[in-house]
Amino acid sequence: MADRLDGTVALITGASSGIGEATAVELAALGASVALAARRADRLVALAAKIRGQGGTALVLATDVTSQQQASEAVERTVSELGRLDTLVNNAGAMLLGPVVGAPLAEWQRMVELNLLGLLYCAHAAVPHLLSAAAEDPRHVADMVNISSVAGRVVRNGSAVYNATKHGVGAFSESLRQEVARQHIRVSLVEPGATATELASHNRPEIQGQIRQRFGSTQRLHAADIAEAIGFVVTRPRRVAVNEMLVRPTEQEA
Ligand SMILES: NC(=O)c1ccc[n+]([C@@H]2O[C@H](COP(=O)([O-])OP(=O)(O)OC[C@H]3O[C@@H](n4cnc5c(N)ncnc54)[C@H](OP(=O)(O)O)[C@@H]3O)[C@@H](O)[C@H]2O)c1
């Protein structure tokens, strides 16, 4: 039977849209108090109001996780204002596709700084608090869920640096999992396939055209489908760790 998350606190990065927003709603419905981190504070304020309207507790943290200081402050404010940290969902990310030849270096820098360094900063700040939570009631287990992608498993022409960042997330997650497994922190990797969010809209127009061509006829996942998968991962009994979960749309072949 699934455990609920009553009495626990979850921090979700990239909570202002897409998968992060849906995950905040899901974890709040499961009983967690949620801390919402992203740069667009207006979106977070609206989401917090929605969660409070449904009887939940939500904290707004206007945060750019590519700043080590802001990432660390988001974790520390979660603990000081909500009392603890049981679950970190490292979700903030960008997918900027296209060939290596002639690629704008700023796109690569953005993905490395956000998908890798931002995730690492949040993980570094959170682990001590996850260790404390894992030693305490109500669950005696804590969770870090890192959001990778099918691109963390399958390499494609035109996706080199996104592939590199998401493979990096997978490698980091598995190493950290081994490091903290005995202390009952579960480090899990969730790998979505094509999901209807804002993600692709940040690409250059010609790249957006190529993405549409590739996925145009595929029925995409809803953000809530991935949020449910994350909810499943973090509500397993203490003895069960879902290390990795690959969730594609039924129609997605590769
Ligand atoms: N959609 C898909 O098909 C798909 C597939 C596989 C994996 N994923 C992964 O799922 C995760 C979520 O993506 P999504 O699809 O939900 O896309 P999305 O709607 O574009 O969400 C991305 C989130 O990241 C936040 N973010 C961006 N830069 C940030 C920064 N510097 N600091 C803090 N937050 C930042 C954004 O908020 P602000 O702009 O407000 O900061 C937004 O909330 C990503 O890691 C992505 O790689 C998505």
Side-chain angles (χ1 to χ4, degrees), residues 53-72:
Q54 293 167 350
T57 300
L59 172 67
V60 169
L61 299 169
T63 305
D64 181 343
V65 296
T66 67
S67 152
Q68 186 270 327
Q69 190 189 338
Q70 289 186 40
S72 158

Side-chain angles (χ1 to χ4, degrees), residues 141-157:
V141 68
D143 286 286
M144 183 187 303
V145 181
N146 293 333
I147 307 305
S148 176
S149 169
V150 170
R153 302 249 301 228
V154 180
V155 171
R156 250 184 230 111
N157 186 347

Side-chain angles (χ1 to χ4, degrees), residues 101-165:
V101 176
L105 285 173
E107 292 189 349
W108 293 5
Q109 281 157 353
R110 172 153 169 68
M111 283 190 286
V112 171
E113 285 171 5
L114 177 58
N115 301 2
L116 273 177
L117 272 176
L119 180 143
L120 299 181
Y121 295 148
C122 292
H124 184 267
V127 166
H129 299 294
L130 297 177
L131 283 169
S132 302
E136 291 168 8
D137 290 342
R139 296 196 309 154
H140 288 269
V141 68
D143 286 286
M144 183 187 303
V145 181
N146 293 333
I147 307 305
S148 176
S149 169
V150 170
R153 302 249 301 228
V154 180
V155 171
R156 250 184 230 111
N157 186 347
S159 178
V161 178
Y162 187 60
N163 278 144
T165 61

Side-chain angles (χ1 to χ4, degrees), residues 14 16-17 19 39-40 63-65 91 148 162 166 192-193 195 197:
S16 60
S17 63
I19 291 167
R39 295 167 304 171
R40 287 171 293 176
T63 305
D64 181 343
V65 296
N91 162 77
S148 176
Y162 187 60
K166 291 301 189 181
T195 307
T197 68

